[in-house]
Amino acid sequence: NAGVTQTPKFQVLKTGQSMTLQCAQDMNHNSMYWYRQDPGMGLRLIYYSASEGTTDKGEVPNGYNVSRLNKREFSLRLESAAPSQTSVYFCASSEVPEGFNGYTFGSGTRLTVV
Amino acid sequence: QKEVEQNSGPLSVPEGAIASLNCTYSDRVSQSFFWYRQYSGKSPELIMSIYSNGDKEDGRFTAQLNKASQYVSLLIRDSQPSDSATYLCAALDSNYQLIWGAGTKLIIKP
């Protein structure tokens, strides 16, 4: 049981480049989330998808787009990377509302924008 | 604004002692609370959840909830160096979104 799988694990981008972070879960969860984590800032929600076919902005959506490709997959796209987007990105999923027991996180993507 | 507050630490505890981690929250609607452990360079992992007032024990971990005081705590008994990590407190809001604290860094000294 893989849980939540994120790719890539590490990435270095030049300012202005674009990239897509991939996330897939095999737990049949309805909801999926993208967070960024910066030192001293805690987890900040970028976008979430409450169910297949829906996406909503979180606390810090500027500079990002998302796609809920199907129930399993939720991708995060940086169209024009900026140094301020250097961070660790986590994807998470959860079952809602029945059976909610917190979020399950992927192992993260460490992104550096130079 | 819904908030979850934690002391950032670091909290330094001798090996074998009890580590006490605290969390307060502002949203009276919150009914469910979660403690996650995050090792350096790793992702958060769920260690405890609590939904009712009082204590909930799981091995060396005890979660405590006081809804009247809007206070949640995590006690770690017989602390081990492997417990050194950042502990994140989260409250579930009415939209099934987790509201996160910034975390408390715990250091267990051998």
Side-chain angles (χ1 to χ4, degrees):
Chain A
N1 189 350
V4 179
T5 302
Q6 288 184 239
T7 56
K9 294 190 182 305
F10 301 93
Q11 184 72 48
V12 178
L13 288 179
K14 294 182 179 179
T15 297
Q17 286 185 319
S18 62
M19 77 163 295
T20 300
L21 282 64
Q22 306 287 353
C23 176
Q25 51 92 9
D26 63 2
M27 296 170 287
N28 202 37
H29 284 168
N30 289 324
S31 297
M32 298 184 73
Y33 313 84
W34 276 106
Y35 284 91
R36 62 178 288 174
Q37 188 176 40
D38 303 295
M41 297 292 289
L43 290 165
R44 291 188 291 170
L45 183 63
I46 304 171
Y47 272 94
Y48 66 99
S49 172
S51 61
E52 186 178 358
T54 69
T55 61
D56 286 288
K57 296 178 180 179
E59 180 186 357
V60 288
N62 291 344
Y64 305 94
N65 284 300
V66 290
S67 296
R68 183 75 182 266
L69 304 171
N70 47 56
K71 192 171 185 179
R72 289 186 65 247
E73 299 172 286
F74 188 37
S75 62
L76 178 72
R77 183 162 179 82
L78 287 71
E79 291 290 352
S80 179
S84 61
Q85 294 178 306
T86 293
S87 188
V88 180
Y89 291 85
F90 290 107
C91 177
S93 69
S94 69
E95 186 55 79
V96 291
E98 298 297 327
F100 183 87
N101 189 30
Y103 296 170
T104 301
F105 284 86
S107 59
T109 296
R110 189 173 296 271
L111 176 66
T112 301
V113 183
V114 297
Chain B
Q1 175 135 0
K2 303 169 190 174
E3 291 184 339
V4 174
E5 301 281 348
Q6 295 182 258
N7 188 320
S8 60
L11 175 65
S12 184
V13 174
E15 182 176 358
I18 296 175
S20 178
L21 302 160
N22 304 314
C23 171
T24 60
Y25 59 95
S26 63
D27 183 9
R28 290 195 171 272
V29 175
S30 296
Q31 296 292 316
S32 304
F33 302 88
F34 301 83
W35 283 100
Y36 282 76
R37 177 177 61 201
Q38 187 175 24
Y39 292 116
S40 181
K42 302 296 185 182
S43 59
E45 57 177 332
L46 180 66
I47 53 172
M48 290 283 290
S49 59
I50 187 165
Y51 310 110
S52 304
N53 274 329
D55 295 359
K56 178 182 177 182
E57 188 174 319
D58 184 0
R60 294 186 297 112
F61 297 94
T62 299
Q64 299 175 318
L65 174 60
N66 184 326
K67 291 185 180 180
S69 301
Q70 298 180 240
Y71 181 90
V72 189
S73 64
L74 180 70
L75 302 178
I76 306 174
R77 291 183 300 280
D78 188 23
S79 297
Q80 302 297 309
S82 60
D83 295 325
S84 297
T86 295
Y87 289 80
L88 303 172
C89 173
L92 185 66
D93 74 8
S94 56
N95 295 316
Y96 282 88
Q97 298 280 336
L98 284 179
I99 310 301
W100 296 90
T104 298
K105 184 173 183 178
L106 176 65
I107 299 172
I108 306 300
K109 290 189 172 180

